[in-house]
Amino acid sequence: MKEIIIASVPIIGLFVNALIQVLSFRFFRHLGLLKSIFLGVGAGFFVLVLLSLILSQQWIISIFVQGLTYIALSYCYFHFINLGQTARRIRILREFYDAPNGLSCEELLMFYNSKEIIERRIERLLAGKQIIIKNDKYYIGNSFMLLAARLLVVLKIVLLGKKSEFDKKT
Amino acid sequence: MNILLFGILLFALAFFVHILIWKIHLPKKNHTCFLLNIFFGLFIIGIFILPAQRLSDYIQAFLLYLSLMLAYIISYSAIEVDSPSLIIVLNIAGTGCGLSREELNKQLTDDLLVLPRLKDLLNDKMVFMEENKYKLTKKGVFLVKIFIFFRKILNAGKGG
């Protein structure tokens, strides 16, 4: 039984992570989504370290292995939250779900369209200072997002042989 | 330490096989399904070659492998599909002299941002068409309900 508990430490950590993230986001709204995610990750990792210290004899190795598993699981949880927050496919599904008789393409575009998508992204990019606005024009702010975008383009070229989903394979 | 090495090496092997297959023949669609087959295939092989003695070693090694696998497969969608935020940032960086909202709206149309994702949903059988109207399949309803439930727990809006 103790063996199974030791092996399940990353799952317990993930559970604590999700619990703290949800509670902090619900009840301390001013924190915002990103901070609630960091808080959850921190709380889960704290529990993981604590359990490894109590349960495992080789606790350094245990924290290393369990920690890596926990970080990967937390990353998946972060993506799950992010999907609900930003994914276009989920939002389109949501619009169809709210219309039991279905929606034509034109009706869908009335509820959800490129202008809204751009509006939301610009807001988030401005808030994160990834872009800045000067004289009604947008410029790159801090270069983290630009680096991430360029890295993704490199990965697209390596894996898919094209820069964008709309390009033909080179 | 064996568990850590085993989990990482098995993941690296699966990743190598995935790159190799992608280089030989890039799947036309359902990349996620192909990825799952590759990674689970290696997972099954791993069960027979893991040098572990205790049950907890097995669980830890495979939990590590599965979590790395999931993290990669989730990230893969960002490689497969162009993210609007990244397109915006790349377009702004590309001009060198700034970009106005009007210019962005002209560049990023519904044809680029919405309709390809609607097509994905049709391909993935999440949505079907009936009398010129798009409706959710059972699979689509199931998926959207998971997100609605979670967004309710978070007390958050529709997102998107």
Side-chain angles (χ1 to χ4, degrees):
Chain A
M1 189 61 191
K2 191 182 167 190
E3 276 199 359
I4 292 175
I5 295 173
I6 291 172
S8 313
V9 165
I11 306 281
I12 298 167
L14 179 68
F15 179 75
V16 173
N17 175 348
L19 188 72
I20 296 296
Q21 190 275 321
V22 168
L23 291 176
S24 60
F25 185 73
R26 261 193 91 103
F27 299 110
F28 304 99
R29 210 57 172 193
H30 63 278
L31 274 180
L33 188 65
L34 199 60
K35 279 184 185 159
S36 75
I37 290 169
F38 284 132
L39 198 65
V41 172
F45 195 74
F46 175 74
V47 170
L48 180 137
V49 171
L50 205 66
L51 286 175
S52 295
L53 286 173
I54 295 166
L55 297 169
S56 183
Q57 287 164 335
Q58 296 173 303
W59 58 270
I60 296 179
I61 294 171
S62 175
I63 289 173
F64 212 61
V65 177
Q66 312 276 45
L68 187 61
T69 307
Y70 169 73
I71 289 165
L73 289 173
S74 297
Y75 176 79
C76 294
Y77 177 64
F78 163 72
H79 260 273
F80 173 70
I81 299 170
N82 206 33
L83 275 178
Q85 183 77 5
T86 64
R88 288 166 287 165
R89 277 174 278 202
I90 302 299
R91 173 62 193 271
I92 294 170
L93 287 177
R94 186 87 194 249
E95 293 300 339
F96 290 139
Y97 183 78
D98 289 342
N101 296 324
L103 292 174
S104 67
C105 193
E106 294 71 30
E107 286 168 331
L108 169 70
L109 292 175
M110 276 178 1
F111 296 118
Y112 187 56
N113 51 47
S114 57
K115 284 201 175 62
E116 182 184 338
I117 294 171
I118 295 169
E119 176 82 36
R120 282 171 177 258
R121 265 75 186 172
I122 291 283
E123 265 175 35
R124 281 198 284 264
L125 290 168
L126 283 171
K129 296 188 174 58
Q130 279 119 6
I131 60 169
I132 50 170
I133 187 163
K134 259 191 245 170
N135 302 325
D136 286 334
K137 284 201 168 192
Y138 299 107
Y139 297 85
I140 297 297
N142 73 51
S143 52
F144 175 76
M145 196 72 167
L146 182 60
L147 275 174
R150 286 187 172 149
L151 179 68
L152 265 179
V153 171
V154 171
L155 285 172
K156 275 173 197 276
I157 293 170
V158 171
L159 283 169
L160 308 174
K162 54 187 185 179
K163 280 183 179 176
S164 153
E165 65 175 302
F166 302 106
D167 287 348
K168 293 230 156 58
K169 201 183 168 197
T170 51
Chain B
M1 198 52 91
N2 282 345
I3 295 165
L4 181 69
L5 273 177
F6 182 82
I8 290 175
L9 284 177
L10 191 62
F11 175 77
L13 181 65
F15 185 72
F16 177 72
V17 172
H18 146 57
I19 301 278
L20 203 66
I21 292 173
W22 257 233
K23 286 290 158 201
I24 294 167
H25 181 73
L26 184 70
K28 282 201 173 71
K29 54 181 184 176
N30 283 335
H31 285 201
T32 309
C33 196
F34 275 93
L35 283 175
L36 282 171
N37 284 336
I38 293 167
F39 280 91
F40 272 117
L42 265 293
F43 176 79
I44 303 291
I45 294 169
I47 291 174
F48 294 104
I49 57 170
L50 174 63
Q53 286 155 353
R54 292 174 306 174
L55 176 67
S56 65
D57 289 347
Y58 275 101
I59 298 173
Q60 284 183 61
F62 290 116
L63 203 54
L64 174 62
Y65 176 79
L66 288 175
S67 59
L68 291 174
M69 176 193 94
L70 279 176
Y72 178 69
I73 290 176
I74 287 174
S75 305
Y76 185 83
S77 65
I79 298 169
E80 202 179 5
V81 163
D82 293 350
S83 142
S85 299
L86 298 186
I87 302 175
I88 290 171
V89 168
L90 285 174
N91 285 9
I92 291 172
T95 61
C97 55
L99 206 58
S100 68
R101 176 68 67 91
E102 291 71 33
E103 286 166 321
L104 271 175
N105 284 342
K106 266 187 210 162
Q107 289 173 1
L108 304 176
T109 59
D110 291 328
D111 288 336
L112 282 178
L113 297 182
V114 184
L115 301 182
R117 302 292 73 85
L118 180 58
K119 201 176 151 198
D120 289 345
L121 292 171
L122 281 165
N123 286 338
D124 293 341
K125 297 186 172 48
M126 300 275 181
V127 166
F128 68 100
M129 200 172 203
E130 194 180 67
E131 294 166 5
N132 212 26
K133 298 258 186 189
Y134 293 101
K135 290 177 181 175
L136 291 181
T137 60
K138 277 184 186 165
K139 196 174 156 187
V141 172
F142 176 73
L143 184 70
V144 78
K145 275 189 172 172
I146 293 173
F147 282 95
I148 289 173
F149 174 71
F150 190 71
R151 301 286 292 173
K152 261 190 191 159
I153 291 177
L154 281 179
N155 196 19
K158 273 185 180 176

